[in-house]
Amino acid sequence: MRSGVCEWRMGFSAIHGKEVRAKAKYAVICRHREQYPVLVMCRFFAVSGSGYYSFVKRRSRPQKDVALAETIRQQQDKCFHTYGYRRMWQWLKGSKGIHHNPKTVLRVMKKYGLPAETRRRRRWHQMGQQLHKYENLLNRDFHAERPNCKWVTDISCIHTRQGVLYLSMIRDLYDNSIVAYKTGTEQSVNLVLDTIHLAIRREKKKVAAELQLHSDQGAQYASQAYFELTQQYGITPSMSRCGNPYDNAMAENFFSILKTECIYRHKPATFSQANVMIDRYIHFYNHERIQSKTGVAPLTLRHSC
């Protein structure tokens, strides 16, 4: 026995010489309990025998968080790892009838490596000095009583193998129809001005006396040329606050629909293909695509007023 204990002491002297947590020491003792006396090892590691046996008892119990973690893991796979602990807590309570404190859900998600994969926060930069900055008159009031009294506008990128095509459009908040749109290979002021010219030509007999045109703080919309054109047509400009994309959410919403239902599915190779796809889709969107809110296509609602 003495020789065995001496060999054991020599083998674990390195571990004993370091500052090791009690739990780690208990694990070593448990692993070698068939080779050496438990109490001798406890004395060597300066831990209590009662503490060791409590450790063994806890290890024999199934971990109480395992089932909850597996449920959370399955849901994270279904929702593409987009649920943070608050949304996961709501889902567990509403869909599974599993009631836990939100902090418990957070702890389990951290413990088992199940956090949401969050998007990187977008950084907003001021692109030089703005010549004109307008008040946020729209103020996220996206309801319009009649056609051509509230328009929103923006520019988005359409990626092709040939390069980037820029799409400028104007959307009417009365029926969500696309009043006018233009594409170009440069994100220029002229692209924006041409879109406004086209919209006014198409709707000149129907434009309301007080037409509001809302945009973000892009350089094109802060330019002198944009200011002069809106003055010429009697349009009242409105502008989103800096770093607040939700202020122009209805413009962003259309680009999201277009890209999800058309561009991303067919992936145009050239500018020509992209233009054909955009033309076809916007015609479909205006004349045929049923809106869940109204039950009809945008221009159906417009023509009925």
Side-chain angles (χ1 to χ4, degrees):
M1 174 65 72
R2 284 180 176 276
S3 61
V5 172
C6 289
E7 291 175 3
W8 178 84
R9 286 174 182 267
M10 291 176 63
F12 290 96
S13 59
I15 297 176
H16 182 59
K18 297 179 181 178
E19 292 186 4
V20 182
R21 291 172 55 187
K23 189 181 291 186
K25 295 177 181 179
Y26 292 145
V28 172
I29 294 170
C30 185
R31 192 160 59 246
H32 295 277
R33 66 187 182 278
E34 300 296 332
Q35 299 171 267
Y36 308 104
V38 169
L39 293 180
V40 171
M41 290 190 285
C42 286
R43 283 197 299 270
F44 179 80
F45 282 116
V47 293
S48 67
S50 60
Y52 165 74
Y53 287 112
S54 295
F55 168 80
V56 172
K57 189 176 180 179
R58 288 195 301 271
R59 284 190 62 172
S60 64
R61 296 176 189 162
Q63 295 189 46
K64 62 180 180 179
D65 296 333
V66 170
L68 177 59
E70 183 57 29
T71 302
I72 293 173
R73 190 190 309 279
Q74 292 175 5
Q75 179 59 15
Q76 285 290 49
D77 290 340
K78 290 181 181 178
C79 71
F80 307 102
H81 291 264
T82 58
Y83 279 14
Y85 80 93
R86 293 185 184 87
R87 189 176 295 182
M88 187 63 72
W89 169 71
Q90 291 177 331
W91 176 83
L92 288 167
K93 183 175 63 172
S95 299
K96 293 293 183 180
I98 299 175
H99 298 273
H100 284 288
N101 188 289
K103 292 183 179 179
T104 300
V105 177
L106 174 61
R107 177 181 60 78
V108 172
M109 291 177 72
K110 285 183 175 179
K111 179 179 177 181
Y112 290 90
L114 298 169
E117 295 178 3
T118 56
R119 292 179 294 179
R120 290 182 297 176
R121 189 177 296 275
R122 185 174 178 181
R123 293 183 178 180
W124 297 89
H125 301 279
Q126 184 70 43
M127 302 301 289
Q129 184 180 4
Q130 290 182 306
L131 292 175
H132 297 277
K133 186 174 180 179
Y134 308 102
E135 184 181 351
N136 182 16
L137 300 175
L138 185 62
N139 197 27
R140 300 190 191 181
D141 179 8
F142 302 129
H143 175 73
E145 294 289 344
R146 59 190 185 280
N148 301 320
C149 65
K150 288 182 182 180
W151 288 354
V152 294
T153 185
D154 203 356
I155 300 174
S156 188
C157 303
I158 307 296
H159 293 275
T160 74
R161 295 177 194 168
Q162 191 175 350
V164 177
L165 187 70
Y166 296 97
L167 169 63
S168 168
M169 68 85 202
I170 294 175
R171 192 183 197 188
D172 193 328
L173 294 184
Y174 170 73
D175 54 7
N176 291 330
S177 64
I178 303 305
V179 177
Y181 65 96
K182 293 284 289 185
T183 61
T185 55
E186 294 182 0
Q187 194 175 4
S188 63
V189 174
N190 286 335
L191 182 63
V192 170
L193 303 183
D194 289 345
T195 309
I196 297 174
H197 282 306
L198 181 58
I200 294 297
R201 275 204 307 271
R202 289 180 175 174
E203 302 292 327
K204 61 182 178 180
K205 296 181 180 179
K206 306 173 187 176
V207 170
E210 295 181 0
L211 171 60
Q212 191 180 100
L213 180 58
H214 185 84
S215 69
D216 61 17
Q217 292 196 22
Q220 299 86 354
Y221 306 111
S223 66
Q224 181 66 22
Y226 180 85
F227 169 78
E228 291 176 355
L229 188 62
T230 55
Q231 293 294 301
Q232 176 185 333
Y233 286 131
I235 297 172
T236 303
S238 172
M239 186 173 275
S240 299
R241 293 165 295 173
C242 182
N244 282 270
Y246 294 113
D247 288 350
N248 203 21
M250 293 303 292
E252 299 284 355
N253 168 257
F254 172 74
F255 288 134
S256 177
I257 294 171
L258 169 70
K259 291 178 181 181
T260 301
E261 297 186 0
C262 179
I263 302 299
Y264 294 155
R265 294 174 63 185
H266 302 290
K267 298 178 182 177
T270 65
F271 294 150
S272 178
Q273 288 180 7
N275 278 315
V276 170
M277 288 168 56
I278 292 168
D279 289 342
R280 287 178 178 173
Y281 184 82
I282 291 182
H283 183 273
F284 162 76
Y285 173 86
N286 275 341
H287 294 86
E288 300 177 40
R289 187 180 182 276
I290 293 174
Q291 300 182 92
S292 57
K293 186 176 180 179
T294 63
V296 296
L299 291 186
T300 302
L301 180 64
R302 195 180 196 85
H303 294 155
S304 63
C305 68

